Amino acid sequence: MLIFLPLASVGATPVIMVLGDSLVAGHGLPQGQAFPDILSKKLATDGIDVMMINAGVSGDTTAGGLARLDWSLAENPDGAIIVLGGNDLLRGLDPQTSYENLNAIINRLTKGRHVIAENPLTSEAYDQDEMAALKPYFDDGRLMKVS
C-alpha cells in the first residue's frame, strides 16, 4: 500500500483517492464496507474530515491502474493511496513490468505530495522470491518505509 499525503491548505477538506483492486473496490463486501469507507469512518471518528474517492476495480493490476490513472485523477485529489500489485503477483506477471507501472503511477502522483509506503517485505504473505521481486520498490530512496 502506498499513501500519498497532500500538502493541503489549512481549513480545506482534503480529497483522498484510493486507487486499487478488489481490496479497495470492496468485492464481496456489503455496501459501505470497502477499505476507503472504513478508513473514512475511522478518520471521522478521530476528528479528521476527509472526502474519500473509491477508485478500486476488482481484479486490477498495476497496468490497469496506470491505464486509468488520468480518469481517476479527474476530481483532482489532494492525496492518494495505492493498493495495487497483489494481482500482478497472483498472475505471475513480470515483476519489472509491475515495478515500471508503479513507478509511472508514483511519478505522476508525487508532485506536491509526500510518499509513505507500507513495507510488504515484513509480511509473511510473500515467499522469498516474491519478496526479492518487491525489494526494488523500497530501495530506490523515494519511498519511506512504514512497517
Side-chain angles (χ1 to χ4, degrees):
M1 179 183 327
L2 305 177
I3 304 172
F4 298 84
L5 301 174
L7 304 173
S9 304
V10 175
T13 299
V15 177
I16 308 296
M17 174 190 69
V18 186
L19 179 69
D21 53 25
S22 59
L23 298 173
V24 173
H27 179 71
L29 295 175
Q31 188 72 18
Q33 295 299 307
F35 170 69
D37 301 316
I38 300 297
L39 180 58
S40 180
K41 290 173 191 171
K42 172 63 176 151
L43 290 170
T45 299
D46 292 343
I48 301 168
D49 185 31
V50 299
M51 181 183 148
M52 207 62 77
I53 299 170
N54 186 331
V57 173
S58 293
D60 211 359
T61 62
T62 58
L66 177 58
R68 62 188 175 82
L69 186 58
D70 287 338
W71 168 82
S72 298
L73 290 171
E75 295 186 51
N76 196 27
D78 299 300
I81 300 172
I82 301 173
V83 184
L84 289 168
N87 288 318
D88 294 44
L89 287 173
L90 290 172
R91 295 178 187 179
L93 300 179
D94 177 27
Q96 182 60 36
T97 301
S98 298
Y99 177 81
E100 290 168 5
N101 292 335
L102 281 174
N103 193 45
I105 292 169
I106 291 165
N107 285 338
R108 179 78 190 281
L109 291 174
T110 55
K111 292 174 177 58
R113 298 175 181 95
H114 297 287
V115 181
I116 300 174
E118 176 186 15
N119 184 0
L121 303 180
T122 61
S123 173
E124 294 178 12
Y126 300 104
D127 65 29
Q128 293 299 318
D129 291 336
E130 291 169 332
M131 290 190 337
L134 289 170
K135 197 170 185 320
Y137 294 117
F138 300 94
D139 285 348
D140 67 6
R142 292 179 304 138
L143 304 178
M144 178 175 29
K145 297 176 185 176
V146 177
S147 297

